[in-house]
Amino acid sequence: MDAVALIESGLGRLCDYTVAVLAPQALRIQRLVAREGISEDYAALRIQAQKSNAEFAAQCQYVLYNDTANLEEFEKQCDTLFLQLLGGTNHV
C-alpha cells in the first residue's frame, strides 16, 4: 500500500509493516522544485507543513533513506529491505 496519508488516516494499523522513506530537507526541496517547477521558498513552505522526518520514523517499523543521487543504489536498499520483510527469500 502506498499512501501519502497512511499514518495520519490510521490505515497504517492495517499493515504488517510500515516504511518511512526519508530524505534531508534540502534534497527534498531540490527534488520538489525540479519535479513541480515551483520556487524554493514555496517548496520549503510545503515541506515545513508536513510532519518531520523524526515524526514519520517514530511511527514506522522501518526507515529507508533516499538521500542518494544514484537511483540504482536506492533500489538496492529497497530490495534488501523488502527481501528482509519477506523472510529472506525472493517471492517474485
Side-chain angles (χ1 to χ4, degrees):
M1 182 182 313
D2 180 10
V4 174
L6 182 70
I7 302 299
E8 294 88 343
S9 69
L11 289 174
R13 291 184 298 244
L14 300 175
C15 301
D16 293 332
Y17 309 102
T18 53
V19 180
V21 179
L22 307 177
Q25 183 171 333
L27 184 54
R28 292 173 63 199
I29 290 170
Q30 179 184 15
R31 290 174 176 168
L32 192 55
V33 167
R35 184 178 66 236
E36 298 193 17
I38 59 177
S39 72
E40 286 187 19
D41 289 339
Y42 184 59
L45 287 173
R46 284 180 51 180
I47 289 170
Q48 289 170 4
Q50 299 172 359
K51 289 185 180 192
S52 71
N53 281 350
E55 290 173 288
F56 278 116
Q59 295 181 35
C60 294
Q61 289 85 9
Y62 297 91
V63 175
L64 285 173
Y65 290 98
N66 186 359
D67 59 355
T68 178
N70 183 333
L71 180 60
E72 291 82 22
E73 183 179 327
F74 183 65
E75 287 174 342
K76 286 179 186 177
Q77 292 175 24
C78 293
D79 288 345
T80 299
L81 176 60
F82 293 140
L83 285 174
Q84 176 185 346
L85 296 177
L86 293 171
T89 58
N90 189 348
H91 292 250
V92 179

